[in-house]
Amino acid sequence: MASIAVQLVGFFLGQLGFAGTVVANLLPQWRSTAYMGSNLITATAYMKGLWMECVWHSTGIYQCELYRSLLALPRDLQVLRIYPDNRKPKHAARALMVLSCVSSVLASLVAAMGMKCTHFAQHSVFKSPLLLGGGVGFLCAGLLCLVTVSWTTNNVIMDFYDPFLPRGMKYEVGLAVYVGYASSFLSLTSGLLLCWSRIRSREGSQGPLHMQTSQPSSSPITFNNIYPPAPLYNPPEALKDNHAASLCSLSSGGYRVNNYV
């Protein structure tokens, strides 16, 4: 029962991590800044995400616009690899977050089939490897999300303390990055719990068999069932003469003397 409870907790944390990764992937608050003009009415806040860029005005107007060009992404959201035609940019942040979501979906399906509370592949040797595969999938999803948010945080901090960058171009870490950190830790915890549950169940199944083969038998070996008991000894009787036995014949130990004369 304890192993099943650990698996359920790990699976539930994995689902929370997956939901948080999707939310962090879609939110535009990866980088945020606030600019206060001379008039409080003109106060605006700028936010940049993986898929869109938004502007919030103090008047209540909220405007968002999707990136129309892949080259319009911020520097920390893309990695350009120089090719001969120079037309193939690789957007690492987007790719890592999408891969993290896909890994979480696959890990959820595989872990659900490998859990003890499901009826899939009951009493099969593939049950435990499926659970281990689900745990490894959640670990990969958590690492991918953690690398993305850590990379973004590092670039935002480096730009913030850059003395040559104008003040209006400096951003702070947004809400989506913190959501990504929480989601990555939930996914990593889920993967660790599922892997630990699989290793523990494997050791528990092998433990009694090992003890049974290693402990010597305390009772001595008996051969009663191997060899039958020896028959009782019956002394041979001597041939008797034709004459009748006398009443006064001596006897010793239950044997008459006249039987041997």
Side-chain angles (χ1 to χ4, degrees):
M1 295 297 294
S3 179
I4 297 178
V6 172
Q7 292 177 9
L8 290 175
V9 171
F11 186 80
F12 180 71
L13 292 179
Q15 300 308 305
L16 290 180
F18 169 65
T21 303
V22 174
V23 172
N25 191 14
L26 297 178
L27 283 179
Q29 289 91 353
W30 282 71
R31 301 169 62 176
S32 61
T33 184
Y35 173 72
M36 302 296 294
S38 57
N39 189 357
L40 294 179
I41 299 178
T42 61
T44 56
Y46 299 92
M47 293 162 286
K48 292 184 178 182
L50 296 180
W51 308 96
M52 66 185 69
E53 183 177 2
C54 298
V55 179
W56 176 83
H57 301 276
S58 59
T59 57
I61 300 175
Y62 202 91
Q63 297 177 343
C64 292
E65 184 179 2
L66 297 175
Y67 294 116
R68 297 182 179 180
S69 175
L70 297 179
L71 297 177
L73 285 174
R75 184 179 59 190
D76 59 319
L77 302 182
Q78 66 177 341
V79 174
L80 290 177
R81 295 182 179 178
I82 304 301
Y83 289 88
D85 55 358
N86 198 17
R87 291 180 301 176
K88 298 180 180 179
K90 299 296 182 181
H91 304 272
R94 285 182 175 182
L96 291 178
M97 291 300 293
V98 171
L99 286 177
S100 178
C101 296
V102 173
S103 299
S104 296
V105 172
L106 296 178
S108 300
L109 295 177
V110 175
M113 291 186 294
M115 294 174 62
K116 292 183 178 180
C117 58
T118 59
H119 297 284
F120 180 81
Q122 284 286 355
H123 308 291
S124 176
V125 294
F126 299 103
K127 193 76 170 176
S128 295
L130 286 175
L131 182 63
L132 182 61
V136 173
F138 279 119
L139 289 176
C140 294
L143 288 177
L144 290 173
C145 184
L146 182 61
V147 168
T148 307
V149 295
S150 300
W151 183 13
T152 303
T153 302
N154 178 70
N155 289 332
V156 170
I157 294 176
M158 295 295 293
D159 292 341
F160 187 83
Y161 290 104
D162 188 1
F164 301 100
L165 193 66
R167 186 174 182 180
M169 299 296 296
K170 293 182 179 181
Y171 290 85
E172 296 179 357
V173 179
L175 176 63
V177 176
Y178 297 108
V179 175
Y181 276 117
S183 303
S184 62
F185 285 120
L186 287 175
S187 298
L188 291 174
T189 305
S190 171
L192 291 176
L193 286 177
L194 292 178
C195 294
W196 177 75
S197 175
R198 192 264 177 180
I199 296 174
R200 183 181 179 183
S201 61
R202 182 178 180 182
E203 292 178 353
S205 61
Q206 293 180 354
L209 180 61
H210 177 71
M211 294 178 60
Q212 182 178 0
T213 55
S214 60
Q215 291 182 354
S217 179
S218 58
S219 60
I221 301 176
T222 58
F223 298 94
N224 294 333
N225 297 329
I226 301 177
Y227 300 100
L232 298 177
Y233 174 74
N234 294 324
E237 296 183 357
L239 297 176
K240 300 180 180 181
D241 294 335
N242 294 328
H243 60 276
S246 60
L247 297 176
C248 60
S249 60
L250 297 179
S251 64
S252 175
Y255 298 98
R256 296 182 180 276
V257 180
N258 58 358
N259 293 335
Y260 299 92
V261 178

